[in-house]
Amino acid sequence: MIPLSDAIAHIASSITRFDAVEVARADALGLVLADAVTASEPVPPFANTAVDGYAVQAADTVGASVDTPRRLTVVGELAAGAAPSTAVGPGTAIRIMTGAPMPAGADAVVMVERTTVEGDHVAIDAGVEAGDNVRDAGGDVQRGQIVFEAGTVLRP
């Protein structure tokens, strides 16, 4: 009997490495990456909301509570997949859905559960800080970051 390390070395020395080839992604299932794959852009590509709620300027929510809610004028609505066309200014808010890009001027999102709609205003019963409920551009993957190492077997 030979040592395991010798057996592995013997087998490895008899394996022929194939040259790298380019194939269409649809034909790559089960193949092995010859090179690392890096991200060509950040993911997500823009800052977006992590919750349904209202995009606001955090300063407008300071001191908000159930007993003393802050009331802001609602100046628009922004669905996921839509581009913002209205900015958030002092004293205003935009109704925003999870995944929608952050509109200009907004620095936080108040969760819908902390709000009450009052006509064209929203009452906010909890303050937020800048960055609350916002996913930064590149928060999942940065441009140039390796997302798959060489040697990775491509699977679904």
Side-chain angles (χ1 to χ4, degrees):
M1 208 183 253
I2 63 172
L4 177 61
S5 58
D6 290 348
I8 291 171
H10 176 71
I11 292 169
S13 69
S14 64
I15 295 173
T16 303
R17 184 178 191 135
F18 294 114
D19 292 331
V21 295
E22 287 191 30
V23 299
R25 274 189 291 246
D27 299 327
L29 183 65
L31 299 182
V32 177
L33 289 175
D35 297 311
V37 174
T38 58
S40 59
E41 62 183 52
V43 177
F46 47 79
N48 66 81
T49 178
V51 298
D52 287 349
Y54 289 84
V56 300
Q57 292 183 354
D60 286 338
T61 70
V62 172
S65 70
V66 172
D67 295 329
T68 57
R70 297 291 181 254
R71 288 177 174 76
L72 304 176
T73 302
V74 179
V75 295
E77 183 170 297
L78 188 56
S85 59
T86 304
V88 171
T92 67
I94 292 179
R95 175 80 169 103
I96 193 166
M97 310 316 166
T98 301
M102 289 295 291
D107 62 5
V109 176
V110 177
M111 291 176 24
V112 71
E113 293 85 354
R114 303 310 311 228
T115 66
T116 304
V117 176
E118 300 173 346
D120 63 349
H121 289 78
V122 61
I124 297 169
D125 69 13
V128 291
E129 295 185 18
D132 281 358
N133 302 311
V134 177
R135 295 184 292 212
D136 293 331
D140 294 331
V141 177
Q142 292 288 323
R143 180 184 184 152
Q145 180 179 340
I146 294 175
V147 290
F148 297 107
E149 298 283 349
T152 299
V153 177
L154 297 177
R155 298 198 166 117

